[in-house]
Amino acid sequence: MAGTMHKVARAEPVIGTVASTVTAWRAFDKLDDTALAKVAQARAAHRRLIWQHLATRPQGFPQVQVAGQVWDGWLVIDVDATLVACHSGKQGAAPTYKKHIFGLHPIVVTVANTGEILTIYLRKGNSGSNTAADHITVLRAAVAQIPARYRKNIIFRCDGAGATKDLLNWITSEAAERGCDWRYSVGFDVTQPWPAAGHPACG
């Protein structure tokens, strides 16, 4: 989280002169959970303003197109874990499930409509790919970044790592509790044992 904020601050200074890299790192390293929560709230408020401006364009807010069809009114959220090679023992770097890669294993949540990164959940390199609790944690943070008017209709997309009952049950129950229409699209490799067992997904 702090690393992401540092890159943004250095790349696009908006308030006066930007501190040196070392000073910025030291400042972000001192942020506690309360301070990070305030930063998240500020990011959400900034995004709300930007999306308001996007919606006022002649073409309106960006809509996702799939197979020539426009998914009008739907926000499409993609969640995926990714390996980051890091040949260092610092801050959670560890052997990953791909034995030839040593590093980190964060989960990234993006918005297909705008191409933005909503949030990144930093994890150790040996964190699991299909850990439902981690997916739920990062998606809660991601939804909090979405302006309220866009939370009603969401499609969550993930690969096999997200194809867990716990995650899909969370999406369904959370949507019902909020009174929203949330759907999901998950995919995973169909290996030989699946059709051999006559699984309906292979019909």
Side-chain angles (χ1 to χ4, degrees):
M1 176 65 180
T4 301
M5 291 187 297
H6 171 260
K7 291 179 181 178
V8 172
R10 294 291 300 167
E12 299 181 18
V14 293
I15 304 178
T17 303
V18 176
S20 68
T21 298
V22 174
T23 300
W25 274 119
R26 287 175 180 169
F28 286 127
D29 284 342
K30 293 180 179 179
L31 296 179
D32 57 14
D33 289 342
T34 300
L36 289 174
K38 291 181 178 179
V39 171
Q41 291 172 2
R43 291 179 58 235
H46 187 59
R47 176 170 290 105
R48 184 167 59 249
L49 179 61
I50 292 175
W51 285 19
Q52 286 175 357
H53 287 298
L54 286 175
T56 61
R57 302 179 307 163
Q59 62 269 45
F61 187 79
Q63 304 295 334
V64 172
Q65 294 189 40
V66 177
Q69 300 295 317
V70 178
W71 291 3
D72 189 28
W74 288 92
L75 200 68
V76 179
I77 303 299
D78 293 311
V79 55
D80 193 15
T82 183
L83 294 178
V84 178
C86 178
H87 299 283
S88 168
K90 295 181 179 180
Q91 297 182 338
T96 69
Y97 70 92
K98 291 189 176 181
K99 303 303 181 182
H100 63 287
I101 297 180
F102 183 93
L104 306 171
H105 197 188
I107 299 179
V108 182
V109 182
T110 58
V111 186
N113 301 65
T114 63
E116 297 171 71
I117 295 177
L118 285 177
T119 189
I120 301 175
Y121 185 37
L122 302 181
R123 304 190 303 161
K124 295 181 178 180
N126 56 4
S127 298
S129 296
N130 58 350
T131 306
D134 289 350
H135 281 81
I136 293 171
T137 295
V138 73
L139 284 179
R140 283 190 187 278
V143 170
Q145 284 295 313
I146 299 171
R149 61 175 292 193
Y150 294 96
R151 296 178 192 170
K152 299 296 292 183
N153 300 310
I154 301 178
I155 297 176
F156 296 91
R157 298 191 300 194
C158 53
D159 58 14
T164 61
K165 289 183 178 179
D166 286 344
L167 175 61
L168 304 185
N169 286 338
W170 175 81
I171 292 174
T172 302
S173 61
E174 188 75 8
E177 184 176 329
R178 292 169 176 261
C180 297
D181 187 358
W182 289 3
R183 308 184 187 189
Y184 53 79
S185 173
V186 299
F188 52 91
D189 293 334
V190 177
T191 56
Q192 187 56 41
W194 285 74
H199 195 281
C202 305

